[in-house]
Amino acid sequence: MTVSGLLCPKKQAGCQNLRWGSVIMRLMKPVFLLPLLLSASLLAAQTAAPKAPPQPKAPEKPKGPTIPADAQWHDVTQWGVEGRGWGDQERKRWFDRLPAKAEGKVTSNVWNLSRDSAGMMVRFKTDAKAIYTRYELLKPSLALPAMPASGVSGLDLYARDAKGKWRWVACPKPTQQKVEVVLIEGLAPGEHEFAAYLPLYNGVEKLEIGVPKEAKFEGQTPRQKPVVFYGTSITHGANASRPGMVHTAILGRRLDRPVMNLGFSGNGRMDAAVGDLLNELEPAAIVIDCLPNMQPADVTAKCEPLVKQLRAQHKDIPIILVEDRRFTNSWITPAKAKFHDDNHAALKTAYQKLQAAKVPNLHYIGGDKLYGTDAEGANDASHATDLGFMRQADIFEPVLRKALK
């Protein structure tokens, strides 16, 4: 203890209290100053000069190749498309598959599905180094759960090579109903013949083909006497990745013939009303492939009458009856396997009765191997992938070649 402490203990205690008070005031000083500083900052922010307005962003450069402003455009309705029957009969829309008079005669489902442009194909020749397209789709739904937009709503471009064989070129994947896109550029010099397949599960309001200003362009007149396919969603094109990959289109290229696709998803049922419309056409052959949408009793009731209806008008053309494909998982699902067995038996019996009645020029395609035998030909057991469609075309082709001789 210090001397002052010995002499004045009370004084010592008072000094200590003063020292502690000084320490506390020094510690609390920032707490009192913080609100003052914040208030000052807010006041300064309120009285500061206003900020300059944000400058507009420069427009983004288009992704990928662009169409030149002076491109020449050609409306395909000026020379026509293949796969569109009934000539110049009135239509609700130019790209409908059935004429206007079919509404109310066929079922409402068939009529609505006929608004899709499945199977239509436009041909043209050009020496252009680039090809453009602009088209407007009927429906905003551009894709299906198991089928991409390129198949549902795409325009699929092919060209003949030096040997005359059709080979694939390009297919856009639409992202909106109005499509304007460069299909291909950097093409080899010289004139080429092209074919563009229209969307399978969407309709088309209008379609134009574009080329550079200096290019030559000639639309090709649609060929006559198509092979007509009447069927179900599979014929309609589910689930091809591109319009050119459905078996009807593949066969058209291989046979070098026009085809007409009258596939109606879920509604290919050998209807007499459709038969009446078929009797107005001038086909090279008629393929009836409706079993996937029918039960055995329906096949028994409707197959013979439809064939006789068609034969009454078309005396000599080939009529080909097709068994339904087997579900790719029917090997392990006995109920599905039995359904196919019974359906096939019903069609075979109808075919034999027609033969016994001496109905001429009938042909038959079995269904067991249409998708192959490895269960890899479909992506949902029922509808073909591109692989399944190629396999189906492989089985159809020799039968059609023989029938068309």
Side-chain angles (χ1 to χ4, degrees), residues 80-84 119-123 221-223 257-259:
V81 300
E82 295 182 357
R84 179 183 181 271
M120 292 188 187
M121 182 260 273
V122 59
R123 296 184 305 126
T221 302
R223 299 167 292 179
R257 285 180 175 268
V259 299

Side-chain angles (χ1 to χ4, degrees), residues 103-114 267:
E103 186 177 17
K105 294 181 179 179
V106 299
T107 67
S108 59
N109 286 339
V110 168
W111 170 252
N112 291 333
L113 292 163
S114 77
N267 288 271

Side-chain angles (χ1 to χ4, degrees), residues 215-402:
K216 296 178 182 178
F217 186 95
E218 180 186 355
Q220 299 295 290
T221 302
R223 299 167 292 179
Q224 301 303 306
K225 290 192 172 296
V227 178
V228 176
F229 294 82
Y230 172 34
T232 67
S233 55
I234 299 165
T235 301
H236 200 145
N239 287 319
S241 68
R242 302 182 276 107
M245 283 308 297
V246 63
H247 66 294
T248 58
I250 295 169
L251 289 164
R253 294 193 298 275
R254 290 183 183 179
L255 301 172
D256 204 13
R257 285 180 175 268
V259 299
M260 184 181 298
N261 186 322
L262 295 179
F264 303 110
S265 182
N267 288 271
R269 294 173 180 164
M270 298 188 185
D271 291 334
V274 176
D276 287 339
L277 291 165
L278 292 175
N279 276 343
E280 296 181 17
L281 301 172
E282 295 184 12
I286 297 175
V287 180
I288 302 174
D289 189 2
C290 293
L291 261 64
N293 290 163
M294 301 177 72
Q295 297 293 322
D298 299 322
V299 178
T300 299
K302 299 176 82 170
C303 181
E304 290 180 72
L306 177 62
V307 171
K308 290 177 179 179
Q309 177 186 6
L310 298 175
R311 185 55 79 213
Q313 176 65 28
H314 304 291
K315 303 297 184 183
D316 301 314
I317 67 166
I319 297 176
I320 298 96
L321 301 177
V322 186
E323 291 179 352
D324 56 325
R325 84 290 175 249
R326 287 186 178 270
F327 276 74
T328 51
N329 59 3
S330 64
W331 66 273
I332 199 170
T333 51
K336 290 180 181 178
K338 184 178 186 305
F339 165 75
H340 294 309
D341 291 342
D342 293 345
N343 243 14
H344 294 179
L347 188 68
K348 179 69 77 171
T349 298
Y351 172 65
Q352 291 169 344
K353 287 182 178 180
L354 290 163
Q355 284 186 311
K358 301 191 182 304
V359 176
N361 211 358
L362 286 179
H363 304 265
Y364 196 91
I365 295 177
D368 288 347
K369 298 180 180 180
L370 285 178
Y371 285 177
T373 58
D374 56 5
E376 299 290 357
N379 60 4
D380 59 2
S382 176
H383 299 98
T385 58
D386 292 355
L387 174 62
F389 280 124
M390 290 290 285
R391 289 172 170 176
Q392 196 160 238
D394 289 343
I395 291 176
F396 276 55
E397 183 180 355
V399 177
L400 283 171
R401 285 192 182 279
K402 180 180 178 181

